[in-house]
Amino acid sequence: MVRSLVQGGVTIGSNVFVGMYATILKGVHIGNNVIIGANSLVNKDIPSNCVAAGNPIKIIMPLDTYYMKRKERQTREVTELVHKY
């Protein structure tokens, strides 16, 4: 489901996470499955399935890569916790 804001023509796709204090300028299209970092200035279109952040915004990495990094980090943290106890 794509929501379109009446004023400014911004479109935001499904399953989008927008961090706190992010500013989205008018006329921008954000695709599906996107993570926007906190305090980012979204001044251009963002394609689907990626992580983007910054002022001005830039694409950091594909969503699949982000998922694998988070999974590896959480696995490492759980392993350390198990060894600690």
Side-chain angles (χ1 to χ4, degrees):
M1 181 174 126
V2 175
R3 289 189 292 167
S4 179
L5 301 177
V6 175
Q7 198 172 26
V10 173
T11 55
I12 300 176
S14 297
N15 197 30
V16 174
F17 175 82
V18 180
M20 287 182 68
Y21 305 114
T23 303
I24 303 173
L25 299 182
K26 64 181 178 178
V28 170
H29 171 74
I30 300 173
N32 298 323
N33 306 315
V34 174
I35 299 174
I36 303 291
N39 294 313
S40 295
L41 174 64
V42 185
N43 61 346
K44 61 183 178 181
D45 292 350
I46 305 298
S48 295
N49 303 313
C50 69
V51 178
N55 184 2
I57 200 157
K58 68 177 185 175
I59 297 172
I60 305 296
M61 68 182 71
L63 199 57
D64 294 338
T65 304
Y66 176 75
Y67 172 75
M68 292 306 294
K69 284 185 176 186
R70 292 285 297 165
K71 185 176 177 182
E72 289 171 7
R73 183 175 177 185
Q74 288 175 343
T75 302
R76 188 172 56 248
E77 289 174 356
V78 167
T79 304
E80 289 173 6
L81 187 63
V82 167
H83 288 296
K84 184 177 180 179
Y85 289 110

